Amino acid sequence: MLANFDPAHVVAALISVGIGMVITTQATFLAGMTAIMGNPLSASAISFTVGLGTLSMLVLGQYGRARHVGTLEPVRWAGVQWWELLGGPLGAMELTSRAFIAERIGLTPQAVANITGQMIVSLYLDHIAFLGLPHKAITARRIGGAFAVIGGCMVSAAEKMSASTSSVDVDEVSIVERLLLMALAVFAGSCLPVQAGVNRKLGERFPNCYSLRLPATLTSFFFGYLSLYSLLIIVQFGMGRDVLVNIPGSIHLVPWYQYIAGVIGILYVGGGVVLAPIIGVGGFMVSGVLGQLSLGIVLDAVGIEGRQKVPITFASVFGALMVFVGALCITLAPAKVLVGKPETGEVELQGAYAEFDAEKPGA
């Protein structure tokens, strides 16, 4: 595992863990905002609005600086594909469905199902080198790591299963509805690795004068913003629910710190653009899960934002250790990069697997 150790992978994984920790607080802030707004759709729309405004100011600052020092380069919009703009809508769908599902079946079952979807799809996307990402083959070690992550989350969350984390009595939700919502949570989780890959591809269109590919994150947020408010309009006028009307009347009731949820979303989307090419989608996802679980255990013990206090136990710590081991198995897997040869149309293997593949008979 350590034969092809790369310090850059460790740094990227640690940053991803930190992003995961911050995402944990975003879920808490969004839950509080949802309680005030009365529905998760309005809360998600406000969160995206804050993120969009913050990103716009950052990108304008980078644009002004690049223009001042003479390093401004044009954005490569020619030939942009429609699917490159799906990152924002995918993120908006996942964010809104997460809040809705947690409200119906509880936060813990939703989180475990969501993580399951993330692990399955991220391993597959790494295996096929999705949109030019580093290729990391599906191996027994990576599959074992995924099982360790999912199992660790379930073990760590065992105490929470009996706690009341839903505003709806679970007994009022039929078994069929619960299964459908769990399947929806798995699907929503599977959208996150796809979003990271699509956003990374979009980031290639922006020149180096924009550090951290912030315009790609801004573009993703913009289309997520459009999709959310389009859905708000449909729900408001097509279904007759007061989701738009509630925003002006409730926005002043939201504590200032809950608006940070929108800024936190920038870290996650931007992190996928910058870090996924380094450690792969699977590495970025699992490192984030480790961060979420680790800080979540602490926040549950403290009882932040009105959470029901759940003491730190041996099971929760052991589950976190399982996730840590699984993260190592997935993140530290060697990678190969597929590089096309224009003159022959062939694909050349570069990186950790190149020497191994060259030794194969007939290679």
Side-chain angles (χ1 to χ4, degrees):
M1 180 185 297
L2 299 179
N4 299 286
F5 175 78
D6 186 349
H9 285 200
V10 177
V11 173
L14 290 176
I15 295 175
S16 301
V17 170
I19 292 175
M21 289 182 174
V22 177
I23 289 295
T24 303
T25 60
Q26 181 197 40
T28 301
F29 293 153
L30 277 176
M33 195 181 298
T34 298
I36 294 173
M37 294 288 180
N39 68 88
L41 195 58
S42 299
S44 298
I46 294 300
S47 177
F48 261 78
T49 302
V50 173
L52 184 65
T54 304
L55 273 170
S56 298
M57 291 187 290
L58 291 174
V59 172
L60 284 175
Q62 288 190 346
Y63 173 84
R65 181 181 180 278
R67 187 173 182 179
H68 177 71
V69 300
T71 59
L72 187 64
E73 302 174 55
V75 178
R76 297 180 289 272
W77 283 118
V80 64
Q81 301 295 318
W82 62 270
W83 49 262
E84 294 182 47
L85 307 177
L86 288 180
L90 286 174
M93 184 199 70
E94 193 280 333
L95 187 67
T96 305
S97 63
R98 184 198 316 169
F100 170 75
I101 296 170
E103 187 181 28
R104 297 292 298 172
I105 63 176
L107 180 61
T108 300
Q110 179 274 332
V112 173
N114 189 281
I115 290 169
T116 300
Q118 291 181 44
M119 291 299 97
I120 294 173
V121 174
S122 62
L123 290 185
Y124 175 71
L125 296 185
D126 280 343
H127 182 72
I128 64 173
F130 182 63
L131 296 179
L133 285 168
H135 174 78
K136 295 192 174 185
I138 293 180
T139 62
R141 188 175 72 203
R142 298 199 91 208
I143 293 175
F147 274 109
V149 170
I150 297 171
C153 290
M154 296 179 68
V155 170
S156 183
E159 289 85 358
K160 304 178 189 179
M161 296 295 287
S162 59
S164 178
T165 57
S166 171
S167 61
V168 178
D169 188 349
V170 177
D171 291 334
E172 296 179 1
V173 182
S174 67
I175 295 178
V176 174
E177 184 180 357
R178 263 182 277 177
L179 290 175
L180 290 175
L181 289 172
M182 289 286 283
L184 178 60
V186 172
F187 174 76
S190 70
C191 291
L192 291 179
V194 178
Q195 179 198 31
V198 169
N199 286 340
R200 186 212 66 86
K201 188 67 175 179
L202 180 64
E204 293 179 353
R205 297 191 172 274
F206 295 91
N208 293 329
C209 61
Y210 295 101
S211 60
L212 301 178
R213 298 290 192 267
L214 282 183
T217 308
L218 174 61
T219 305
S220 178
F221 258 80
F222 175 72
F223 282 95
Y225 173 89
L226 288 182
S227 61
L228 267 175
Y229 275 92
S230 298
L231 184 57
L232 277 169
I233 292 173
I234 292 173
V235 173
Q236 173 73 44
F237 298 102
M239 302 175 63
R241 298 187 60 182
D242 293 331
V243 288
L244 277 173
V245 176
N246 286 345
I247 294 178
S250 305
I251 197 169
H252 67 283
L253 300 175
V254 178
W256 65 269
Y257 57 86
Q258 290 185 356
Y259 289 109
I260 299 175
V263 181
I264 292 173
I266 297 175
L267 295 176
Y268 183 81
V269 177
V273 174
V274 176
L275 300 174
I278 301 175
I279 56 177
V281 174
F284 176 68
M285 289 291 139
V286 74
S287 299
V289 169
L290 177 60
Q292 292 178 53
L293 180 62
S294 302
L295 186 61
I297 292 173
V298 176
L299 295 182
D300 283 337
V302 174
I304 188 174
E305 279 288 289
R307 285 190 182 197
Q308 181 175 343
K309 290 186 178 182
V310 180
I312 297 176
T313 63
F314 173 79
S316 61
V317 174
F318 181 72
L321 288 175
M322 288 179 63
V323 174
F324 175 72
V325 172
L328 288 179
C329 292
I330 293 174
T331 306
L332 296 184
K336 63 181 177 183
V337 180
L338 306 181
V339 181
K341 295 181 177 180
E343 63 276 10
T344 63
E346 298 176 351
V347 174
E348 178 185 5
L349 299 179
Q350 292 183 357
Y353 280 96
E355 181 179 352
F356 173 78
D357 285 358
E359 295 174 354
K360 290 182 178 180

